[in-house]
Amino acid sequence: MIIQRVVLNSRPGKNGVPVAENFRLEQSTIADTIQAGQVRVRTLYLSVDPYMRCRMNEDTGSDYLLPWQLSEVADGGGIGVVEESNHDNLAKGDFVTSFSWPWQTVAILDGSLLQKLVPQLVNGCLSYFLGAAGITGLTALLGIREKGHVAAGANQTMVVSGAAGACGSLAGQIGRLEGCSRVVGIAGTDEKCSILVQEMGFDAAINYKKGNVAEQLRELCPGGVDVYFDNVGGDISDTVISQMNQNSHIILCGQISQYNKDVPYPPPLPPDIEKIQKERNITRERFLVLNYMDKQEASVLQLCQWIQEGKLKV
């Protein structure tokens, strides 16, 4: 059978910005028959995520991320429909997902590595299982629960950077649902800031490309910052950390501003910011959602419930 697939054509370099030419679309073939335990699936959705920038390097800088190989098919989170099954628990027409789904139109996969999906849980919006009800939503929810130390009634202020992104937009809403009394987002356009406030329920949002971020933060967070959901790192994070309260918490979700640079993860803080962090006893621990997979099932059901109730907007 002839298929189309996306392979890694070249590496951008550890300090380079990825370009389209780093990838190549090509024709390939797969077997016409499947073996015992296998299924043939047609790809419906693929998730393209920030961490994949690290997989474009020969050394990903992380022990849990394998690099993509040159001229080999790329992979990541994906969803598809079973077209033919030779696996006892999967039938034709089932919707399935995997963290290592190949970027190709049709694939033959090991059925035991696939998770069966229930579309009704997300009102039929299957792609949500790669986003709000998938690893993205889990990262937001478990990050807040495991590293945010949010307590209902504690009058906490949460700041979210990269707030209009897939994870950040959910994190702000979940922060509110978990008990934060004030949620402020940081994003890069007026349109994004408007959506955060008018549609996502944030109290306020800062366009970091306009005006003085430190001044705006002081105005919007008069009591300081108790929880910081950090998606970006760099100058923005340094500014937020400088306004964090004693015994506050950083949820170290991502550092997108640093991914095109050859720096360790998590990137070290500048000496003056590190001094603030230590003096105020601010926690900043590496957070990896894959370490909490024992809580995956219950957490996904919680996310789906919020989506169905309209409490979590996607």
Side-chain angles (χ1 to χ4, degrees):
M1 178 185 291
I2 296 172
I3 61 159
Q4 284 191 308
R5 64 179 195 167
V6 175
V7 302
L8 186 67
N9 188 48
S10 59
R11 300 192 189 278
K14 273 206 157 186
N15 290 297
V17 176
V19 292
E21 289 72 28
N22 293 138
F23 295 93
R24 186 173 76 244
L25 181 64
E26 65 178 26
Q27 274 197 346
S28 185
T29 57
I30 59 170
D32 290 324
T33 56
I34 57 174
Q35 307 298 316
Q38 292 183 330
V39 293
R40 189 178 77 241
V41 292
R42 179 166 49 84
T43 302
L44 298 176
Y45 299 99
L46 296 169
S47 186
V48 182
D49 304 291
Y51 80 87
M52 292 174 168
R53 172 62 186 88
C54 305
R55 298 193 68 189
M56 296 179 77
N57 296 336
E58 205 160 355
D59 175 10
T60 65
S62 172
D63 49 10
Y64 66 92
L65 284 181
L66 292 173
W68 284 331
Q69 299 300 321
L70 290 172
S71 294
E72 295 290 335
V73 67
D75 71 311
I79 289 173
V81 61
V82 175
E83 292 192 324
E84 185 183 356
S85 176
N86 210 338
H87 187 277
D88 291 343
N89 297 329
L90 295 172
K92 183 178 179 180
D94 283 347
F95 295 106
V96 289
T97 186
S98 164
F99 284 142
S100 51
W101 195 284
W103 287 13
Q104 57 192 57
T105 48
V106 179
I108 294 173
L109 302 175
D110 180 346
S112 64
L113 302 179
L114 298 173
Q115 187 180 351
K116 199 164 159 181
L117 298 175
V118 182
Q120 294 91 325
L121 287 175
V122 286
N123 301 326
C125 299
L126 271 175
S127 65
Y128 286 10
F129 284 117
L130 292 181
I135 203 78
T136 312
L138 286 171
T139 300
L141 177 59
L142 291 170
I144 288 166
R145 285 185 172 174
E146 300 296 328
K147 299 293 184 184
H149 302 273
V150 172
N155 198 30
Q156 291 164 298
T157 294
M158 172 187 273
V159 170
V160 183
S161 58
C167 195
S169 62
L170 297 169
Q173 297 177 77
I174 291 169
R176 167 82 78 229
L177 289 166
E178 291 288 287
C180 285
S181 58
R182 186 163 182 76
V183 179
V184 176
I186 303 175
T189 69
D190 289 344
E191 183 188 9
K192 289 178 181 179
C193 290
S194 173
I195 289 169
L196 289 174
V197 175
Q198 293 176 15
E199 295 181 31
M200 302 290 182
F202 284 61
D203 293 284
I206 296 168
N207 179 349
Y208 70 86
K209 294 179 182 175
K210 282 186 174 178
N212 186 302
V213 175
E215 285 178 8
Q216 293 177 79
L217 261 182
R218 271 190 290 274
E219 187 183 319
L220 295 172
C221 307
V225 178
D226 302 296
V227 185
Y228 173 37
F229 199 99
D230 185 6
N231 285 304
V232 302
D235 294 342
I236 296 289
S237 291
D238 296 345
T239 303
V240 176
I241 293 168
S242 68
Q243 297 189 33
M244 292 186 74
N245 293 325
Q246 196 73 26
N247 303 319
S248 54
H249 304 283
I250 298 168
I251 301 163
L252 198 58
C253 177
Q255 302 280 278
I256 191 63
S257 71
Q258 309 297 304
Y259 287 174
N260 291 323
K261 303 173 187 173
D262 185 11
V263 293
Y265 189 85
L269 296 170
D272 56 328
I273 302 299
E274 188 177 10
K275 186 167 181 262
I276 290 171
Q277 183 210 341
K278 287 180 176 170
E279 285 175 352
R280 297 183 193 167
N281 193 35
I282 302 168
T283 62
R284 182 181 183 257
E285 301 160 343
R286 183 173 180 170
F287 168 69
L288 181 60
V289 70
L290 299 177
N291 289 342
Y292 301 95
M293 284 298 100
D294 57 316
K295 301 180 179 178
Q296 178 187 9
E297 194 173 340
S299 299
V300 167
L301 289 174
Q302 173 67 86
L303 291 163
C304 290
Q305 183 183 334
W306 281 336
I307 290 167
Q308 288 175 340
E309 292 171 351
K311 291 179 179 175
L312 201 57
K313 293 194 173 67
V314 184

